[in-house]
Amino acid sequence: MKSGFVAIVGKPNVGKSTLLNMLLKEKVSIVSHKPQTTRFNILGILTLDDAQIIFIDTPGIMRKAKDMLDKSLLKEAFSSLQDADVIVMVVEPTYPTEEDLKVLEAVKQSGKPAILVINKIDTIKDKKELLPIMEHYAKLHDFKEIIPISALYQDGLDRLIEAIKKYLPEGDFYFPEDQITDKPLRVIVAEIIREKIYQLYHEEIPYATAVHVEEFIDPEEHPEENRKKVYIRAIIYVERESQKPIIIGEGGRKIKQLGMAARKDIEALLGKPVFLDLHVKVKPKWRRNEGFIRSLNRI
Ligand SMILES: Nc1nc2c(ncn2[C@@H]2O[C@H](COP(=O)(O)OP(=O)(O)OP(=O)(O)O)[C@@H](O)[C@H]2O)c(=O)[nH]1
Ligand SMILES: [Mg+2]
Protein backbone atom coordinates (compact mmCIF):
# COMPACT_ATOMS: atom_id res chain seq x y z
CA MET A 1 0.00 0.00 0.00
CA LYS A 2 1.11 3.51 -0.71
CA SER A 3 -0.22 6.66 0.87
CA GLY A 4 0.84 10.24 1.25
CA PHE A 5 0.21 13.93 0.88
CA VAL A 6 0.49 15.78 -2.42
CA ALA A 7 0.53 19.58 -2.36
CA ILE A 8 -0.95 21.27 -5.44
CA VAL A 9 0.76 24.66 -5.66
CA GLY A 10 1.02 27.45 -8.18
CA LYS A 11 0.27 31.08 -8.85
CA PRO A 12 -3.39 32.21 -8.66
CA ASN A 13 -5.87 31.08 -11.33
CA VAL A 14 -3.78 28.35 -12.99
CA GLY A 15 -6.48 25.73 -12.31
CA LYS A 16 -5.36 24.05 -9.07
CA SER A 17 -8.86 23.65 -7.65
CA THR A 18 -10.25 22.54 -11.01
CA LEU A 19 -7.52 19.91 -11.13
CA LEU A 20 -8.35 18.68 -7.62
CA ASN A 21 -12.06 18.33 -8.40
CA MET A 22 -11.37 16.53 -11.66
CA LEU A 23 -8.90 14.12 -10.03
CA LEU A 24 -11.43 13.26 -7.32
CA LYS A 25 -14.42 13.35 -9.70
CA GLU A 26 -16.13 15.25 -6.87
CA LYS A 27 -16.39 18.94 -6.22
CA VAL A 28 -14.67 19.72 -2.94
CA SER A 29 -12.99 23.01 -3.84
CA ILE A 30 -14.59 26.08 -5.36
CA VAL A 31 -13.53 27.46 -8.73
CA SER A 32 -13.87 30.81 -10.47
CA HIS A 33 -12.37 32.70 -13.37
CA LYS A 34 -11.10 35.32 -10.90
CA PRO A 35 -7.70 34.91 -9.22
CA GLN A 36 -7.43 34.22 -5.48
CA THR A 37 -10.56 32.14 -5.15
CA THR A 38 -9.15 29.54 -2.76
CA ARG A 39 -8.45 31.00 0.69
CA PHE A 40 -7.27 28.03 2.75
CA ASN A 41 -5.83 24.57 2.26
CA ILE A 42 -8.40 21.89 1.52
CA LEU A 43 -7.71 18.17 1.48
CA GLY A 44 -9.11 16.05 -1.32
CA ILE A 45 -8.71 12.35 -0.60
CA LEU A 46 -8.44 9.92 -3.52
CA THR A 47 -8.58 6.29 -2.40
CA LEU A 48 -7.53 3.75 -5.05
CA ASP A 49 -7.11 -0.02 -4.76
CA ASP A 50 -3.44 0.20 -3.93
CA ALA A 51 -2.91 3.81 -2.84
CA GLN A 52 -4.44 6.71 -0.99
CA ILE A 53 -3.43 10.07 -2.43
CA ILE A 54 -4.25 13.00 -0.18
CA PHE A 55 -4.17 16.15 -2.27
CA ILE A 56 -3.80 19.55 -0.62
CA ASP A 57 -5.42 22.29 -2.69
CA THR A 58 -3.82 25.60 -1.76
CA PRO A 59 -4.37 29.34 -2.32
CA GLY A 60 -2.50 30.79 -5.29
CA ILE A 61 0.94 32.17 -4.45
CA MET A 62 0.91 35.86 -5.37
CA ARG A 63 3.89 38.14 -5.77
CA LYS A 64 3.22 40.50 -2.87
CA ALA A 65 0.93 40.35 0.16
CA LYS A 66 -1.16 43.53 0.46
CA ASP A 67 -2.97 42.74 3.69
CA MET A 68 -3.45 40.12 6.40
CA LEU A 69 -5.70 38.04 4.14
CA ASP A 70 -2.93 37.81 1.49
CA LYS A 71 -0.42 36.93 4.21
CA SER A 72 -2.70 34.20 5.42
CA LEU A 73 -3.11 32.82 1.86
CA LEU A 74 0.66 32.68 1.43
CA LYS A 75 1.15 31.07 4.83
CA GLU A 76 -1.36 28.34 3.98
CA ALA A 77 0.20 27.68 0.58
CA PHE A 78 3.76 27.51 1.91
CA SER A 79 2.75 25.31 4.86
CA SER A 80 1.40 22.71 2.43
CA LEU A 81 4.94 22.20 1.16
CA GLN A 82 6.08 21.16 4.63
CA ASP A 83 3.30 18.56 4.89
CA ALA A 84 3.76 17.15 1.40
CA ASP A 85 5.47 13.93 0.32
CA VAL A 86 5.19 14.97 -3.31
CA ILE A 87 4.61 18.40 -4.88
CA VAL A 88 2.56 19.08 -7.97
CA MET A 89 3.45 22.53 -9.29
CA VAL A 90 0.83 23.84 -11.71
CA VAL A 91 1.60 26.40 -14.42
CA GLU A 92 -0.07 27.69 -17.57
CA PRO A 93 1.36 26.85 -21.01
CA THR A 94 3.63 29.91 -21.11
CA TYR A 95 7.19 30.71 -20.12
CA PRO A 96 7.40 31.32 -16.34
CA THR A 97 6.25 34.64 -14.95
CA GLU A 98 7.71 36.26 -11.86
CA GLU A 99 5.03 34.56 -9.77
CA ASP A 100 5.82 31.14 -11.24
CA LEU A 101 9.45 31.70 -10.30
CA LYS A 102 8.43 32.59 -6.75
CA VAL A 103 6.50 29.31 -6.51
CA LEU A 104 9.46 27.43 -7.98
CA GLU A 105 11.80 28.94 -5.39
CA ALA A 106 9.61 27.56 -2.59
CA VAL A 107 9.41 24.16 -4.31
CA LYS A 108 13.20 24.06 -4.57
CA GLN A 109 13.64 25.01 -0.93
CA SER A 110 11.29 22.25 0.21
CA GLY A 111 13.64 19.64 -1.26
CA LYS A 112 10.63 17.41 -2.01
CA PRO A 113 10.12 15.45 -5.24
CA ALA A 114 8.18 17.69 -7.60
CA ILE A 115 6.12 17.08 -10.71
CA LEU A 116 5.47 20.00 -13.05
CA VAL A 117 1.99 20.10 -14.52
CA ILE A 118 1.41 22.36 -17.50
CA ASN A 119 -2.34 22.95 -17.44
CA LYS A 120 -4.81 24.44 -19.92
CA ILE A 121 -3.15 22.86 -22.96
CA ASP A 122 -6.57 22.95 -24.62
CA THR A 123 -5.96 26.69 -25.09
CA ILE A 124 -2.98 26.24 -27.41
CA LYS A 125 -3.59 25.35 -31.03
CA ASP A 126 -0.21 23.94 -31.97
CA LYS A 127 1.05 21.46 -29.37
CA LYS A 128 4.59 21.96 -30.72
CA GLU A 129 4.60 25.28 -28.85
CA LEU A 130 4.77 23.27 -25.63
CA LEU A 131 8.18 21.74 -26.27
CA PRO A 132 10.38 24.81 -25.74
CA ILE A 133 8.37 25.69 -22.61
CA MET A 134 8.88 22.19 -21.23
CA GLU A 135 12.59 22.37 -22.00
CA HIS A 136 12.82 25.75 -20.33
CA TYR A 137 11.26 24.42 -17.13
CA ALA A 138 13.41 21.30 -17.23
CA LYS A 139 16.49 23.54 -17.09
CA LEU A 140 15.14 25.52 -14.13
CA HIS A 141 14.60 22.55 -11.83
CA ASP A 142 15.11 18.81 -11.63
CA PHE A 143 11.39 17.98 -11.92
CA LYS A 144 10.67 14.25 -11.62
CA GLU A 145 8.27 14.58 -14.53
CA ILE A 146 6.76 17.31 -16.68
CA ILE A 147 3.20 16.52 -17.68
CA PRO A 148 1.01 18.61 -19.99
CA ILE A 149 -2.70 18.36 -19.10
CA SER A 150 -6.06 19.95 -19.46
CA ALA A 151 -7.83 19.73 -16.11
CA LEU A 152 -11.02 21.14 -17.58
CA TYR A 153 -11.19 18.49 -20.33
CA GLN A 154 -9.71 15.73 -18.12
CA ASP A 155 -6.80 15.18 -20.46
CA GLY A 156 -3.59 13.68 -19.02
CA LEU A 157 -4.98 13.05 -15.53
CA ASP A 158 -4.36 9.27 -15.53
CA ARG A 159 -0.75 9.86 -16.44
CA LEU A 160 -0.46 12.36 -13.60
CA ILE A 161 -1.92 9.90 -11.07
CA GLU A 162 0.51 7.19 -12.19
CA ALA A 163 3.45 9.60 -11.84
CA ILE A 164 2.37 10.65 -8.34
CA LYS A 165 2.02 7.01 -7.25
CA LYS A 166 5.65 6.37 -8.18
CA TYR A 167 6.85 8.91 -5.61
CA LEU A 168 4.38 8.20 -2.80
CA PRO A 169 5.82 6.51 0.29
CA GLU A 170 4.72 3.05 1.42
CA GLY A 171 2.23 3.14 4.26
CA ASP A 172 -1.28 2.55 5.49
CA PHE A 173 -4.19 4.77 4.54
CA TYR A 174 -4.61 7.91 6.67
CA PHE A 175 -8.36 8.31 6.13
CA PRO A 176 -11.41 6.05 5.88
CA GLU A 177 -11.98 4.96 2.28
CA ASP A 178 -15.24 6.88 1.89
CA GLN A 179 -13.92 10.21 3.17
CA ILE A 180 -13.20 12.74 0.43
CA THR A 181 -12.27 15.91 2.34
CA ASP A 182 -11.21 17.15 5.77
CA LYS A 183 -13.57 20.12 5.75
CA PRO A 184 -16.87 19.91 7.65
CA LEU A 185 -20.10 20.35 5.70
CA ARG A 186 -20.61 23.85 7.11
CA VAL A 187 -17.33 25.04 5.61
CA ILE A 188 -18.14 23.47 2.23
CA VAL A 189 -21.55 25.18 2.30
CA ALA A 190 -19.95 28.56 3.12
CA GLU A 191 -17.52 27.99 0.24
CA ILE A 192 -20.36 27.24 -2.21
CA ILE A 193 -21.96 30.58 -1.28
CA ARG A 194 -18.62 32.31 -1.77
CA GLU A 195 -18.21 30.69 -5.19
CA LYS A 196 -21.54 32.15 -6.30
CA ILE A 197 -20.43 35.56 -5.01
CA TYR A 198 -17.31 35.28 -7.21
CA GLN A 199 -19.56 34.47 -10.16
CA LEU A 200 -22.27 37.10 -9.59
CA TYR A 201 -20.42 40.18 -8.33
CA HIS A 202 -17.59 42.17 -9.77
CA GLU A 203 -14.49 44.18 -8.97
CA GLU A 204 -13.80 44.49 -5.27
CA ILE A 205 -16.93 42.76 -3.94
CA PRO A 206 -15.79 39.10 -4.04
CA TYR A 207 -12.52 40.06 -2.38
CA ALA A 208 -14.21 42.12 0.34
CA THR A 209 -16.58 39.26 1.17
CA ALA A 210 -16.35 36.40 3.65
CA VAL A 211 -19.03 33.83 4.44
CA HIS A 212 -19.74 32.04 7.69
CA VAL A 213 -22.41 29.41 8.29
CA GLU A 214 -23.85 30.11 11.73
CA GLU A 215 -26.56 27.49 11.92
CA PHE A 216 -27.08 24.19 10.15
CA ILE A 217 -30.09 22.19 11.29
CA ASP A 218 -30.82 18.88 9.59
CA PRO A 219 -34.36 17.71 10.47
CA GLU A 220 -33.18 14.09 10.36
CA GLU A 221 -30.82 14.79 13.24
CA HIS A 222 -33.16 17.22 15.04
CA PRO A 223 -36.73 15.94 14.70
CA GLU A 224 -37.73 18.14 17.67
CA GLU A 225 -37.21 21.22 15.44
CA ASN A 226 -40.20 20.18 13.35
CA ARG A 227 -38.70 21.29 10.04
CA LYS A 228 -39.14 19.81 6.59
CA LYS A 229 -35.99 21.24 5.05
CA VAL A 230 -32.39 21.58 6.17
CA TYR A 231 -32.15 25.06 7.71
CA ILE A 232 -28.93 26.93 6.94
CA ARG A 233 -28.27 30.40 8.27
CA ALA A 234 -25.25 32.05 6.66
CA ILE A 235 -23.72 35.47 7.20
CA ILE A 236 -22.11 37.31 4.32
CA TYR A 237 -19.54 39.72 5.74
CA VAL A 238 -18.53 42.80 3.80
CA GLU A 239 -16.01 45.45 4.80
CA ARG A 240 -17.99 48.65 4.33
CA GLU A 241 -21.59 49.82 4.78
CA SER A 242 -21.61 50.89 1.10
CA GLN A 243 -21.02 47.28 -0.01
CA LYS A 244 -24.17 46.00 1.67
CA PRO A 245 -26.67 47.43 -0.86
CA ILE A 246 -24.49 46.06 -3.69
CA ILE A 247 -24.77 42.54 -2.28
CA ILE A 248 -28.51 42.93 -1.74
CA GLY A 249 -29.26 44.63 -5.07
CA GLU A 250 -32.31 46.64 -6.08
CA GLY A 251 -35.39 45.29 -4.34
CA GLY A 252 -33.28 42.39 -3.01
CA ARG A 253 -33.00 40.92 -6.48
CA LYS A 254 -29.29 40.24 -6.45
CA ILE A 255 -29.16 38.42 -3.11
CA LYS A 256 -32.18 36.39 -4.20
CA GLN A 257 -30.28 35.31 -7.30
CA LEU A 258 -27.28 34.45 -5.12
CA GLY A 259 -29.44 32.45 -2.72
CA MET A 260 -31.06 30.49 -5.51
CA ALA A 261 -27.77 29.60 -7.20
CA ALA A 262 -26.15 28.56 -3.91
CA ARG A 263 -29.20 26.62 -2.72
CA LYS A 264 -29.28 24.59 -5.93
CA ASP A 265 -25.69 23.42 -5.41
CA ILE A 266 -26.14 22.82 -1.67
CA GLU A 267 -29.24 20.72 -2.29
CA ALA A 268 -27.33 18.68 -4.87
CA LEU A 269 -24.54 18.17 -2.35
CA LEU A 270 -26.82 17.15 0.52
CA GLY A 271 -29.43 15.39 -1.57
CA LYS A 272 -32.13 17.11 0.51
CA PRO A 273 -34.26 20.26 0.27
CA VAL A 274 -32.68 23.30 1.89
CA PHE A 275 -33.93 26.56 3.32
CA LEU A 276 -31.05 28.99 2.90
CA ASP A 277 -31.30 32.04 5.13
CA LEU A 278 -28.75 34.66 4.00
CA HIS A 279 -27.82 37.77 6.00
CA VAL A 280 -25.37 40.56 5.21
CA LYS A 281 -23.26 42.15 7.94
CA VAL A 282 -20.48 44.73 7.96
CA LYS A 283 -17.22 43.70 9.56
CA PRO A 284 -14.93 46.69 9.12
CA LYS A 285 -11.45 45.89 7.81
CA TRP A 286 -11.89 42.15 8.33
CA ARG A 287 -9.11 41.51 5.79
CA ARG A 288 -6.67 42.90 8.34
CA ASN A 289 -8.10 40.86 11.21
CA GLU A 290 -6.07 37.69 11.64
CA GLY A 291 -8.34 36.13 14.26
CA PHE A 292 -11.42 36.64 12.10
CA ILE A 293 -9.71 35.20 9.01
CA ARG A 294 -8.60 32.16 10.97
CA SER A 295 -12.07 31.59 12.40
CA LEU A 296 -13.59 31.26 8.91
CA ASN A 297 -12.27 27.80 8.10
CA ARG A 298 -12.61 26.42 11.61
CA ILE A 299 -16.27 26.09 12.23
N1 LIG B 1 -9.23 26.37 -20.72
C1 LIG B 1 -9.01 25.84 -19.52
N2 LIG B 1 -9.38 26.51 -18.42
C2 LIG B 1 -9.13 25.93 -17.22
C3 LIG B 1 -8.48 24.68 -17.08
N3 LIG B 1 -8.36 24.41 -15.76
C4 LIG B 1 -8.93 25.44 -15.10
N4 LIG B 1 -9.40 26.37 -15.97
C5 LIG B 1 -10.07 27.65 -15.66
O1 LIG B 1 -9.18 28.50 -14.96
C6 LIG B 1 -9.90 29.33 -14.04
C7 LIG B 1 -9.30 29.21 -12.66
O2 LIG B 1 -9.52 27.91 -12.16
P1 LIG B 1 -9.33 27.55 -10.61
O3 LIG B 1 -9.39 26.08 -10.52
O4 LIG B 1 -10.25 28.35 -9.76
O5 LIG B 1 -7.83 28.06 -10.41
P2 LIG B 1 -6.95 28.06 -9.05
O6 LIG B 1 -5.54 27.83 -9.47
O7 LIG B 1 -7.54 27.15 -8.05
O8 LIG B 1 -7.12 29.59 -8.59
P3 LIG B 1 -6.89 30.25 -7.12
O9 LIG B 1 -7.67 29.45 -6.13
O10 LIG B 1 -7.43 31.62 -7.29
O11 LIG B 1 -5.41 30.23 -6.90
C8 LIG B 1 -11.36 28.87 -14.10
O12 LIG B 1 -12.07 29.75 -14.94
C9 LIG B 1 -11.25 27.47 -14.70
O13 LIG B 1 -12.41 27.07 -15.42
C10 LIG B 1 -8.10 23.98 -18.29
O14 LIG B 1 -7.55 22.89 -18.30
N5 LIG B 1 -8.38 24.63 -19.47
MG1 LIG C 1 -8.26 27.50 -6.16
Side-chain angles (χ1 to χ4, degrees):
M1 291 294 201
K2 286 190 155 192
S3 68
F5 289 79
V6 177
I8 303 176
V9 297
K11 71 181 174 193
N13 217 36
V14 291
K16 300 178 293 298
S17 302
T18 305
L19 174 60
L20 177 79
N21 293 337
M22 293 300 184
L23 286 165
L24 294 180
K25 301 192 178 78
E26 297 268 3
K27 182 156 172 170
V28 299
S29 194
I30 63 167
V31 166
S32 90
H33 61 283
K34 298 186 174 81
Q36 284 168 36
T37 305
T38 304
R39 287 191 184 155
F40 43 74
N41 293 348
I42 298 172
L43 299 189
I45 305 155
L46 180 65
T47 304
L48 306 167
D49 290 339
D50 52 351
Q52 187 170 64
I53 310 176
I54 303 146
F55 293 101
I56 314 170
D57 184 24
T58 64
I61 294 174
M62 79 292 280
R63 211 163 55 87
K64 230 177 117 200
K66 294 186 303 294
D67 50 31
M68 196 37 114
L69 179 61
D70 286 356
K71 273 191 199 142
S72 156
L73 302 186
L74 285 176
K75 205 167 138 194
E76 286 278 300
F78 288 135
S79 78
S80 75
L81 298 172
Q82 315 290 294
D83 299 334
D85 297 296
V86 179
I87 294 166
V88 168
M89 175 173 165
V90 185
V91 298
E92 294 194 355
T94 62
Y95 286 98
T97 63
E98 227 177 287
E99 281 176 322
D100 291 315
L101 294 174
K102 180 171 175 178
V103 178
L104 183 62
E105 200 46 49
V107 170
K108 276 179 184 292
Q109 274 180 18
S110 76
K112 308 271 173 81
I115 295 166
L116 183 76
V117 160
I118 303 182
N119 190 28
K120 306 195 187 184
I121 57 162
D122 55 283
T123 60
I124 51 170
K125 279 188 223 84
D126 187 359
K127 299 285 181 277
K128 278 204 292 275
E129 285 171 35
L130 274 174
L131 282 173
I133 297 169
M134 290 169 78
E135 277 166 19
H136 185 87
Y137 270 107
K139 278 187 207 134
L140 289 179
H141 184 65
D142 186 16
F143 288 106
K144 295 294 178 198
E145 303 203 22
I146 297 181
I147 306 177
I149 68 159
S150 166
L152 201 57
Y153 294 96
Q154 302 181 51
D155 183 9
L157 303 192
D158 292 340
R159 194 181 149 202
L160 174 59
I161 288 175
E162 286 314 307
I164 291 168
K165 272 162 81 176
K166 265 198 251 169
Y167 301 99
L168 272 193
E170 301 277 339
D172 291 334
F173 292 177
Y174 287 87
F175 291 94
E177 287 177 24
D178 57 354
Q179 189 172 345
I180 59 162
T181 183
D182 63 324
K183 291 287 173 236
L185 220 37
R186 281 176 181 232
V187 173
I188 305 278
V189 166
E191 286 288 277
I192 290 172
I193 298 166
R194 213 163 56 75
E195 180 179 73
K196 304 307 166 202
I197 294 172
Y198 269 67
Q199 287 166 1
L200 285 172
Y201 299 89
H202 307 291
E203 287 156 30
E204 193 59 10
I205 291 293
Y207 299 102
T209 305
V211 179
H212 185 252
V213 168
E214 278 199 338
E215 252 188 295
F216 187 114
I217 306 170
D218 187 334
E220 278 176 36
E221 285 157 31
H222 297 275
E224 76 284 0
E225 288 272 338
N226 236 339
R227 292 176 188 274
K228 288 205 177 66
K229 297 180 176 181
V230 178
Y231 174 78
I232 298 173
R233 180 183 151 88
I235 312 296
I236 299 167
Y237 289 100
V238 289
E239 284 202 316
R240 288 194 306 272
E241 203 57 54
S242 62
Q243 290 161 338
K244 236 169 124 171
I246 303 177
I247 294 281
I248 293 165
E250 223 177 291
R253 270 193 285 277
K254 199 85 180 171
I255 197 165
K256 200 166 168 196
Q257 207 185 343
L258 169 65
M260 271 161 48
R263 181 169 54 80
K264 210 167 129 249
D265 277 21
I266 298 164
E267 286 184 338
L269 175 76
L270 303 179
K272 298 174 191 178
V274 166
F275 181 82
L276 181 60
D277 189 11
L278 291 178
H279 298 262
V280 188
K281 281 188 187 168
V282 180
K283 179 96 186 164
K285 299 192 176 121
W286 69 260
R287 277 184 283 183
R288 296 189 206 166
N289 183 338
E290 196 178 359
F292 178 79
I293 293 165
R294 231 182 294 127
S295 74
L296 289 169
N297 63 356
R298 296 207 183 115
I299 295 173

